[in-house]
C-alpha cells in the first residue's frame, strides 16, 4: 500500500445533521470516524436562519450555530473532521475506496454517505439577493413558514412538495399565491385537489416569478409574468417560497449504488443499508419525503449503528 493511501474504519462523507450524528455515534463506538465535510460544510442548514423545530432548543437556534455545535460534539468524541470534497469513489471491492479532491486516496472498511440534497432555485438575481440576506426567500416552508404568520406569501412550483408546502403555509398565512408555470400540475391528483380546495390558496397557471421586489433588506412583493400573454403583474407579498425540487448529491455514487429514478439513494427499508455491503446512507441523500434536520439526524444514528454492527459481524 503506498504512503499516500490512508486506511480508516469509518469514512463519513458530508457534514449536515446526518453526517454529524453518524460521527457522534461512530466515535463513541470506537470506529474512529474520519469525516470529509464537502462543498458546503454544515450542509443546507447553514443557509437557513432560525431553526425552531429541532427538539432541545426551546428558544430556537440559528442554522449555522447549530452546525458549529454539532461539529464540536462530534469532535469531542474524537471524530477527525476534515475540509475536503470526495470527488470519486470505487465500491467494487471489499475495501471501499474514495478520493479526496481528486488526490488523496482513502480506503475505508465502512462508508456513511450523508451528502444531502441541494434545493433548486430559479437563478434570478433578486431571488438570490433575498435568499442570502434571509430577507424573505426560502426553499423550506416547514423551516421558515412560521415567520410569515398572518402575512401574504407566494410559492413557486407545482409538484407534490409545492402542494404540501402551500397547504402548510395556508395554515399560517393569510393568503398563498401559487405560481404554476404550465397549465397543469405535476403533483399527484390528490395533492392538487388538496390545494384547490383550500380557500386562501390562489393558483395562477402559466405564471412565473419574474422578479422578487423589496427594499434591499426584506421582500415586499413580486413581479409575475404570464408566459402565455407576456403580461407582467405585481403582487404584494412578504415571503417567496421556492419549491421546484431538490437535487440529491449522489452523482459520484451512481456507478455503484442503486438509486431511485429521481437520483435518491435506495436504502433497504427500515435500515441505512445500501446495495453495497459496508456502505450506508443517511439524511437527504436517501430521503425525498421528510427532508428535516431531525429525520436526517435520526438516520445518521442508524447508519453509525449499522456500520458498527457490520464491522462486529465481520470480526466474529
Ligand atoms: P418535482 O420535480 O416533482 O416538481 C418540481 C415542480 O417544480 C414541477 O411542478 C416543475 O414544473 C416546477 N419547476 C421546476 N423548475 C421550475 C422553474 N424553473 N420555474 C417554475 N417551476 C419550476 O419535485 P418535488 O420536490 O415536488 O417532488 C420530488 C419527488 O418527491 C416527487 O417524486 C414527489 O412525488 C415526491 N414527493 C412526495 C411527497 C409525498 O408523497 N407526500 C411529498 C413531496 C415530494 P413542471 O411540472 O412544469 O416541470
Amino acid at each position: 500500500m503506498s504512503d499516500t493511501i490512508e486506511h480508516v474504519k469509518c469514512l463519513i462523507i458530508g457534514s449536515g445533521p446526518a453526517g454529524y450524528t453518524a460521527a457522534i455515534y461512530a466515535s463513541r463506538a470506537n470506529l474512529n470516524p474520519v469525516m470529509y465535510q464537502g462543498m458546503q460544510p454544515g450542509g443546507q442548514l447553514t443557509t437557513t436562519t432560525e431553526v425552531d423545530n429541532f427538539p432541545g432548543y426551546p428558544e430556537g437556534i440559528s442554522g449555522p450555530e447549530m452546525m458549529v455545535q454539532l461539529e464540536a460534539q462530534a469532535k469531542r468524541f474524537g471524530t477527525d473532521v476534515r475540509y475536503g470534497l470526495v470527488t470519486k469513489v470505487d465500491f467494487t471491492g471489499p475495501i471501499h475506496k474514495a478520493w479526496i479532491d481528486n488526490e488523496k486516496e482513502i480506503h475505508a472498511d465502512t462508508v456513511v454517505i450523508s451528502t444531502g440534497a441541494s434545493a433548486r432555485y430559479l437563478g434570478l438575481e433578486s431571488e438570490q439577493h433575498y435568499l442570502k440576506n434571509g430577507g424573505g426567500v426560502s426553499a423550506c416552508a416547514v423551516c421558515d413558514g412560521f415567520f410569515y404568520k398572518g402575512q401574504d406569501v407566494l410559492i413557486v412550483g407545482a409538484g407534490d412538495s409545492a402542494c404540501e408546502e402551500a397547504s402548510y403555509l395556508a395554515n399560517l398565512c393569510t393568503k398563498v399565491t401559487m405560481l404554476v408555470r404550465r397549465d397543469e400540475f405535476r403533483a399527484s391528483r390528490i395533492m392538487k385537489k388538496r390545494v384547490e380546495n383550500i380557500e386562501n390558496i390562489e393558483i395562477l397557471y402559466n405564471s412565473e416569478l419574474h422578479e422578487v421586489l423589496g427594499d434591499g433588506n426584506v421582500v415586499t412583493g413580486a413581479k409575475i409574468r404570464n408566459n402565455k400573454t407576456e403580461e407582467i403583474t405585481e403582487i404584494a407579498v412578504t415571503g417567496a417560497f421556492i419549491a421546484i425540487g431538490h437535487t440529491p448529491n449522489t452523482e459520484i455514487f451512481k456507478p455503484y449504488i442503486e438509486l431511485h429514478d429521481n437520483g435518491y439513494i435506495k436504502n433497504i427499508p427500515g435500515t441505512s443499508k445500501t446495495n453495497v455491503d459496508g456502505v450506508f446512507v443517511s439524511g437527504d441523500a436517501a430521503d425525498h419525503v421528510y427532508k428535516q434536520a431531525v429525520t436526517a439526524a435520526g438516520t445518521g444514528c442508524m447508519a453509525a449503528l449499522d456500520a458498527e454492527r457490520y464491522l462486529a459481524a465481520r470480526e466474529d
Side-chain angles (χ1 to χ4, degrees), residues 120-122 156-164 179-182 184-188 191 207-208 243-246 262 264 288-289 291:
R120 287 190 210 129
Y121 291 97
L122 299 166
V156 182
D160 284 332
S161 297
C163 290
E164 218 166 55
L179 306 184
V180 176
R181 70 173 168 182
R182 291 182 292 141
E184 59 177 334
F185 274 75
R186 176 174 296 273
S188 53
M191 298 292 272
S207 295
E208 295 179 33
I244 60 171
H246 284 76
N262 57 11
Y264 288 82
H288 61 84
V289 178
K291 301 180 268 191

Side-chain angles (χ1 to χ4, degrees), residues 91-112:
F91 293 157
T92 49
I95 279 286
H96 309 305
K97 299 178 181 172
W99 284 263
I100 317 303
D101 298 321
N102 289 316
E103 280 178 11
K104 185 179 169 59
E105 187 174 343
I106 297 234
H107 288 185
D109 296 326
T110 61
V111 176
V112 174

Side-chain angles (χ1 to χ4, degrees), residues 7-301:
H7 188 118
V8 301
K9 260 197 218 173
C10 178
L11 173 68
I12 299 175
I13 310 177
S15 57
Y20 280 127
T21 306
I24 292 163
Y25 274 79
S27 307
R28 288 168 59 88
N30 268 343
L31 301 192
N32 308 323
V34 169
M35 169 192 277
Y36 278 92
Q37 289 183 306
M39 198 119 69
Q40 188 180 32
Q44 286 187 75
L45 275 191
T46 55
T47 65
T48 63
T49 46
E50 211 58 16
V51 179
D52 276 328
N53 55 8
F54 200 96
Y57 295 98
E59 306 303 326
I61 183 168
S62 83
E65 174 62 14
M66 184 177 166
M67 299 323 296
V68 167
Q69 292 196 3
L70 280 176
E71 180 176 341
Q73 194 174 353
K75 283 180 169 168
R76 183 177 144 220
F77 297 113
T79 303
D80 186 346
V81 179
R82 302 177 184 173
Y83 287 114
L85 185 67
V86 174
T87 44
K88 199 176 98 174
V89 294
D90 179 350
F91 293 157
T92 49
I95 279 286
H96 309 305
K97 299 178 181 172
W99 284 263
I100 317 303
D101 298 321
N102 289 316
E103 280 178 11
K104 185 179 169 59
E105 187 174 343
I106 297 234
H107 288 185
D109 296 326
T110 61
V111 176
V112 174
I113 299 172
S114 45
T115 46
S118 306
R120 287 190 210 129
Y121 291 97
L122 299 166
L124 300 171
E125 207 178 299
S126 55
E127 169 205 56
Q128 291 303 308
H129 173 79
Y130 290 103
L131 173 74
K132 284 176 188 140
N133 276 4
V137 171
S138 165
C140 180
V142 178
C143 320
D144 298 326
F146 186 76
F147 302 114
Y148 301 91
K149 206 170 176 182
Q151 301 171 38
D152 290 356
V153 298
L154 69 78
I155 183 160
V156 182
D160 284 332
S161 297
C163 290
E164 218 166 55
E165 302 217 336
S167 317
Y168 183 86
L169 290 168
N171 260 330
L172 296 165
C173 302
T174 313
K175 183 178 173 190
V176 179
T177 304
M178 192 165 188
L179 306 184
V180 176
R181 70 173 168 182
R182 291 182 292 141
D183 55 7
E184 59 177 334
F185 274 75
R186 176 174 296 273
S188 53
R189 281 177 61 149
I190 187 160
M191 298 292 272
K192 176 188 173 225
K193 264 251 144 351
R194 198 203 288 180
V195 292
E196 281 175 339
N197 288 336
I198 297 176
E199 241 174 51
N200 61 339
I201 297 181
E202 182 182 10
I203 301 166
L204 302 180
Y205 288 97
N206 299 115
S207 295
E208 295 179 33
L209 182 57
H210 186 65
E211 188 183 347
V212 180
L213 303 173
D215 63 5
N217 291 318
V218 293
V219 171
T220 55
K223 283 186 181 171
I224 294 164
R225 184 174 71 89
N226 182 308
N227 57 27
K228 277 258 156 80
T229 63
E230 292 302 330
E231 190 191 352
I232 295 197
T233 48
E234 270 186 41
I235 59 167
V237 287
T238 50
F241 288 85
I242 313 299
I244 60 171
H246 284 76
T247 307
N249 303 318
T250 56
E251 196 59 30
I252 57 166
F253 307 113
K254 220 173 179 174
Y256 313 100
I257 299 284
E258 282 178 16
L259 307 179
H260 292 282
D261 290 345
N262 57 11
Y264 288 82
I265 291 175
K266 282 186 185 174
N267 59 304
I268 297 174
T271 77
S272 69
K273 294 174 188 168
T274 67
N275 60 300
V276 176
D277 272 353
V279 178
F280 306 92
V281 65
S282 61
D284 288 9
D287 173 15
H288 61 84
V289 178
Y290 299 104
K291 301 180 268 191
Q292 299 302 300
V294 67
T295 48
T299 54
C301 160

